[in-house]
Amino acid sequence: MRCLIGVVAFFTQVFYINGIFSANIPDIKQPIDSIARLEIATKCYNIYLKGVEAESKCDTIIAFNYYNDFLLVADRPDEIKLVEIDLLCRLINIAYNKGDFENVCKYCQMAISLPSEILNNFDQTSYIYITYASVLNLLNKSSEIEQIINSGQYYVEKSYGPTEKEYYSLKLQQIMAYINMAYYNRAYEHLTILTTHLNLSNNHIIDEEISFLKSCIQKINDIESPLHDKSKFLDDIIKQGCELALFSSIMEDKGISAWDSLFSLITTYLKMSYFDTDSIEEEMAWSKLIYYYNVFINVFCKIHDIEKRSEYEYDYILTTKNFLSWHSAKELKKYVEWRDIKDSLDENEVAIEIIPHTKEALIIKRDFDLPKIINIDSILIDKLNNYAINDAYSINDFYKIDSPLSDLADCIISQIGDVKRLYISAANAFSLINYSCIPYKEGILDDYFSIIQLTSTSEIPNIKSHKYYNKLDNIVLFGGVNYGNTMTKNMRDSAKYITLNLRKGYDYLPYSLKEVNDISSLCNQYKCKYTLFTGNEASKHALLNQYYPKSSILHIATHTYLLPSYKYNDISNISYNNERSRLSTVMLNTGFLFSGINNELKENNDFRNNGLLTAKEISNMNLSNVELAVLSSCSSALGDVYNVTGIVYGLVNAFKSSGVNQVLVSLWDLPDETTAIFMHSFYDNLFQGFSPRKSIKKARQSLIEEGFIDPYYWAAFVILE
């Protein structure tokens, strides 16, 4: 039974103890009775101190290496064990922040295997057990949790009191493990005992968590546990929807409540079920359900002229765009309905979802009873779908007045009334439009409205509650990458691990070095901390192992790669690869190039090890401290646009899955020089206190003033929430 990732993520978020561990360096408490043991202990202690020093400077790569050097020392004396457990705790923290959960388990197991007197004398022992249990649930290893719960509870109760949430963390992890293993009755029994105990003591500290778990169990029971037999559930849903559409007697008997029940069942299923995103069979299951979910709403409900169709359609968009994110281990994405968005809007704001496959846009305002449907002409849809996204002349025509984009803006703006701010999200290929730069009246849309572009309008409540940084605390910069030797044709022909689109290798980008050097100069000018990686140091390893403090910016100036995608033609033939799903294939076929990639290809090495960072690897990182990721590279917004969820799977989705708040991307291929000019202006404005969106607007103007007047140069950059 696979883990309910959304549930696990909720409690991992609640109980994870973040940050660096005890600032007090452990002492060697006991005398060491031989010179040899003293030498080993001294060596270990010195290695440990070097690791702590590196960690204090946020250089987790060096710290990680020192800590592992410590563990390689043979015959470590018992007197050094208190140092060892602190070191293991630090490794757990580093591995957790990287999303390396397998190593988290390894270090946790090493820690809890230390003598009981060491565990008793270490004030972070409870953290080790809480993290271990959380990660086992995240890794679908719930069956292994019970053996650590009982011994761990002693240390948790030693560290926390009954009025602190952490006191109940292991008990809740155990209940989650029962749910994940489909032991629903056992889970409910333990939950009832815990609830009764808390009620008797009038303790309501974890009421929200208890309510959430009870809701999970109840909903699973309500839908007769389709987690056990997805195929049967899908067949039953399809049968129900078709009967509802074809037999008018059902509608006459049950009315609109029949559709309400059906769509609630589908949403609950997508929200509660775990899907292995690497499995073709699992992908076929959720793709098939989404396909029919769309048919029920946009064919059957349309035929029957169901008044609530706009409500169903909006919630459908929110569900399909977000359901895979509910499985993310990095953050809990709460389920958002259209009414939640409506309630979060101010009177002068509007939320817009553009849905090309239905040739409609849906809009919400605070005073709407239902979302409003705006029909978009099918010829206009075809024109927008067919423009050449990487041809400079085509792009210039596309972003000029009287273009199809102007018609799209007129179609939507004429229906939204008097507003000042537009929250715009679009599906599939329409996500690759810069809505701020759409020609409108005497200028562009951004001249008349505040435009916020999102991957999904479900982000609006989060945007409203999120406190943006008011100063830059830290920037991590990658640029001027040394890709290695330029490849010859013979080298390309011998490269076994990569398709022809990437075998050519990539040339050095001189302006990317100027770009990151200029930004670092601005950092010095405005007194902002920064870490700079260039040349051979601009490596995949450096990015994966870098520590990102709170309110960080991650800036990557390099080449992206995107291997050919394929259109979604038949839900029974999702992937051309017989071993992994379409989604997994796409996320492996999109990424960044880092130092040494060409040399690796020349030597026929497996390129996924060092010089190439895939979107899938990024999605498994923990970048929740990164406020803004700047992907200063060609076509960094691109990915697989032809899928049933409406999300473009690629780098943007990967960074959002890793916990990044905002992502600045380019929509097409751009010259090295103008990108550097744009980025320098962007950061200069950012350092002066302007918001990222305002800084983009001012940087666009700087490019125009430099003589780059064509939209091709300045309309490519967009921030996605």
Side-chain angles (χ1 to χ4, degrees):
M1 185 61 201
R2 293 192 177 275
C3 152
L4 297 174
I5 293 293
V7 182
V8 176
F10 179 81
F11 291 105
T12 303
Q13 181 178 335
V14 170
F15 294 114
Y16 177 58
I17 303 173
N18 199 8
I20 305 300
F21 299 102
S22 173
N24 298 319
I25 305 299
D27 295 323
I28 301 175
K29 298 290 186 182
Q30 302 173 12
I32 298 175
D33 57 10
S34 76
I35 294 175
R37 290 172 64 205
L38 178 61
E39 288 178 349
I40 294 173
T42 302
K43 177 183 178 181
C44 288
Y45 200 65
N46 287 336
I47 294 172
Y48 165 80
L49 289 176
K50 289 177 181 178
V52 172
E53 182 182 6
E55 196 174 0
S56 70
K57 296 176 180 177
C58 297
D59 196 338
T60 53
I61 301 173
I62 294 176
F64 183 83
N65 292 336
Y66 275 127
Y67 294 153
N68 276 287
D69 287 345
F70 178 105
L71 297 176
L72 292 174
V73 177
D75 301 321
R76 298 187 296 277
D78 290 342
E79 290 85 354
I80 206 77
K81 293 299 183 186
L82 193 58
V83 171
E84 184 170 331
I85 192 172
D86 183 81
L87 178 143
L88 287 168
C89 238
R90 293 169 182 272
L91 280 171
I92 290 166
N93 190 51
I94 292 171
Y96 192 100
N97 284 332
K98 288 167 54 184
D100 184 1
F101 298 136
E102 292 289 352
N103 266 329
V104 171
C105 288
K106 182 182 82 171
Y107 297 132
C108 285
Q109 186 57 50
M110 291 173 66
I112 67 173
S113 299
L114 291 170
S116 58
E117 60 268 23
I118 299 298
L119 296 173
N120 269 311
N121 289 325
F122 185 60
D123 60 4
Q124 295 288 348
T125 299
S126 57
Y127 161 82
I128 296 170
Y129 278 97
I130 292 170
T131 304
Y132 198 4
S134 301
V135 170
L136 286 173
N137 268 331
L138 287 170
L139 291 174
N140 306 324
K141 296 180 179 179
S142 300
S143 59
E144 300 176 20
I145 285 180
E146 196 144 15
Q147 60 185 322
I148 71 164
I149 292 290
N150 293 332
S151 56
Q153 190 62 35
Y154 164 78
Y155 297 105
V156 170
E157 292 181 1
K158 182 180 175 184
S159 298
Y160 303 102
T163 59
E164 297 175 282
K165 285 189 174 185
E166 290 83 359
Y167 183 87
Y168 305 98
S169 56
L170 288 183
K171 295 180 184 296
L172 292 168
Q173 291 291 346
Q174 185 174 39
I175 293 167
M176 281 192 295
Y178 289 145
I179 295 174
N180 295 337
M181 293 184 291
Y183 299 158
Y184 304 124
N185 291 335
R186 193 181 303 177
Y188 197 82
E189 178 184 347
H190 278 251
L191 199 55
T192 302
I193 293 170
L194 180 59
T195 305
T196 302
H197 172 75
L198 289 168
N199 287 340
L200 287 173
S201 58
N202 198 29
N203 188 339
H204 302 287
I205 189 70
I206 56 169
D207 281 359
E208 183 181 354
E209 290 78 10
I210 289 173
S211 175
F212 184 76
L213 286 174
K214 282 184 176 178
S215 173
C216 291
I217 297 169
Q218 186 63 44
K219 286 175 180 176
I220 289 170
N221 288 333
D222 284 347
I223 57 180
E224 298 179 352
S225 302
L227 304 174
H228 299 297
D229 191 346
K230 290 175 178 166
S231 179
K232 180 179 182 301
F233 176 79
L234 289 173
D235 290 342
D236 289 346
I237 281 290
I238 293 167
K239 181 181 177 183
Q240 285 183 50
C242 291
E243 287 178 348
L244 192 55
L246 298 175
F247 298 104
S248 57
S249 58
I250 298 177
M251 279 295 293
E252 291 171 1
D253 180 36
K254 297 183 178 179
I256 198 68
S257 63
W259 289 111
D260 288 341
S261 298
L262 179 68
F263 296 140
S264 175
L265 200 60
I266 294 172
T267 301
T268 299
Y269 179 71
L270 289 171
K271 184 166 59 172
M272 300 302 301
S273 298
Y274 176 83
F275 293 94
D276 182 352
T277 55
D278 291 332
S279 164
I280 294 175
E281 290 75 18
E282 294 270 285
E283 187 174 62
M284 288 178 69
W286 58 258
S287 296
K288 185 177 180 181
L289 180 58
I290 289 174
Y291 171 80
Y292 279 99
Y293 190 7
N294 175 55
V295 169
F296 296 155
I297 292 171
N298 293 310
V299 178
F300 294 165
C301 285
K302 199 170 187 178
I303 290 172
H304 288 282
D305 197 23
I306 302 298
E307 183 182 3
K308 291 178 66 177
R309 185 177 80 84
S310 66
E311 178 178 355
Y312 295 147
E313 187 177 7
Y314 210 115
D315 284 342
Y316 157 80
I317 289 295
L318 299 179
T319 299
T320 56
K321 280 188 173 183
N322 286 297
F323 88 97
L324 287 177
S325 295
W326 296 332
H327 302 310
S328 170
K330 310 301 182 304
E331 60 175 340
L332 174 68
K333 270 199 172 181
K334 292 184 178 179
Y335 178 64
V336 176
E337 296 179 330
W338 82 270
R339 292 186 184 277
D340 300 316
I341 297 170
K342 162 185 152 70
D343 292 341
S344 69
L345 293 172
D346 294 334
E347 291 182 359
N348 62 351
E349 297 177 332
V350 62
I352 305 169
E353 285 281 356
I354 301 173
I355 313 156
H357 70 269
T358 63
K359 302 178 178 61
E360 293 173 338
L362 296 173
I363 63 173
I364 301 174
K365 294 179 71 175
R366 189 173 182 85
D367 58 349
F368 281 10
D369 293 327
L370 288 173
K372 181 177 180 179
I373 296 175
I374 300 173
N375 293 306
I376 305 173
D377 183 77
S378 59
I379 297 176
L380 176 57
I381 292 287
D382 290 340
K383 287 180 179 178
L384 292 166
N385 270 323
N386 292 327
Y387 90 98
I389 196 167
N390 254 328
D391 175 75
Y393 294 105
S394 175
I395 290 167
N396 285 335
D397 288 339
F398 198 59
Y399 283 88
K400 286 184 178 177
I401 203 70
D402 297 328
S403 72
L405 278 182
S406 292
D407 296 336
L408 178 65
D410 290 339
C411 175
I412 294 174
I413 301 300
S414 63
Q415 302 291 318
I416 65 174
D418 185 20
V419 296
K420 294 180 180 178
R421 174 168 292 166
L422 313 182
Y423 292 96
I424 302 178
S425 175
N428 303 109
F430 277 50
S431 300
L432 304 178
I433 294 171
N434 188 340
Y435 290 90
S436 295
C437 294
I438 290 180
Y440 183 70
K441 294 184 179 179
E442 301 301 318
I444 58 176
L445 213 56
D446 201 26
D447 296 330
Y448 298 88
F449 303 95
S450 172
I451 309 292
I452 300 176
Q453 198 161 330
L454 315 97
T455 52
S456 167
T457 52
S458 62
E459 298 287 350
I460 295 174
N462 290 335
I463 292 171
K464 293 283 192 172
S465 61
H466 181 73
K467 293 182 179 178
Y468 289 100
Y469 54 86
N470 53 17
K471 67 183 184 70
L472 297 177
D473 294 323
N474 185 78
I475 301 181
V476 180
L477 299 158
F478 288 83
V481 180
N482 179 15
Y483 302 109
N485 296 330
T486 303
M487 297 179 65
T488 66
K489 182 179 184 302
N490 289 337
M491 293 174 187
R492 292 199 300 272
D493 291 343
S494 66
K496 297 187 297 183
Y497 296 100
I498 203 159
T499 69
L500 289 173
N501 281 50
L502 195 57
R503 284 188 189 169
K504 62 184 180 182
Y506 283 104
D507 293 331
Y508 179 67
L509 297 172
Y511 282 96
S512 72
L513 179 61
K514 183 179 187 307
E515 177 179 318
V516 293
N517 282 336
D518 285 349
I519 296 169
S520 62
S521 296
L522 287 171
C523 289
N524 290 326
Q525 179 183 338
Y526 288 97
K527 299 185 178 2
C528 174
K529 295 178 183 177
Y530 70 93
T531 308
L532 178 62
F533 296 95
T534 62
N536 293 330
E537 302 302 316
S539 67
K540 166 184 173 178
H541 179 77
L543 191 145
L544 288 174
N545 291 280
Q546 178 64 24
Y547 174 67
Y548 300 94
K550 189 100 176 138
S551 297
S552 292
I553 291 180
L554 173 57
H555 183 99
I556 306 172
T558 185
H559 287 294
T560 52
Y561 79 98
L562 173 65
L563 303 187
S565 181
Y566 38 84
K567 290 192 176 182
Y568 187 89
N569 293 322
D570 182 353
I571 59 173
S572 66
N573 184 22
I574 292 171
S575 179
Y576 290 159
N577 186 300
N578 293 323
E579 298 178 358
R580 59 176 179 250
S581 67
R582 170 198 177 103
L583 174 59
S584 180
T585 302
V586 167
M587 298 301 276
L588 287 171
N589 285 357
T590 311
F592 291 114
L593 300 187
F594 284 97
S595 61
I597 180 65
N598 285 336
N599 289 331
E600 289 180 44
L601 293 174
K602 182 178 90 171
E603 296 166 8
N604 287 337
N605 290 333
D606 185 343
F607 68 92
R608 298 202 195 284
N609 285 341
N610 296 305
L612 191 150
L613 179 65
T614 69
K616 187 162 188 177
E617 289 173 303
I618 294 166
S619 68
N620 289 328
M621 296 177 70
N622 187 344
L623 297 175
S624 54
N625 280 342
V626 175
E627 187 74 28
L628 173 67
V630 179
L631 314 187
S632 180
S633 53
C634 288
S635 303
S636 51
L638 267 60
D640 177 26
V641 299
Y642 302 106
N643 64 78
V644 292
T645 68
I647 289 288
V648 176
Y649 288 110
L651 289 170
V652 173
N653 178 257
F655 277 99
K656 293 296 288 183
S657 296
S658 73
V660 172
N661 186 50
Q662 296 177 312
V663 188
L664 193 163
V665 292
S666 64
L667 299 174
W668 50 78
D669 294 349
L670 282 166
D672 190 22
E673 180 181 4
T674 55
T675 302
I677 295 171
F678 175 90
M679 289 300 169
H680 180 271
S681 177
F682 171 77
Y683 278 98
D684 196 14
N685 288 294
L686 206 57
F687 280 119
Q688 292 180 49
F690 293 102
S691 69
R693 280 189 296 274
K694 185 69 173 178
S695 296
I696 277 190
K697 186 172 183 177
K698 294 175 83 65
R700 284 200 305 256
Q701 188 58 39
S702 294
L703 270 181
I704 293 170
E705 291 171 359
E706 288 274 346
F708 300 100
I709 61 173
D710 289 330
Y712 164 72
Y713 295 108
W714 50 260
F717 301 102
V718 62
I719 286 183
L720 296 174
E721 298 276 358

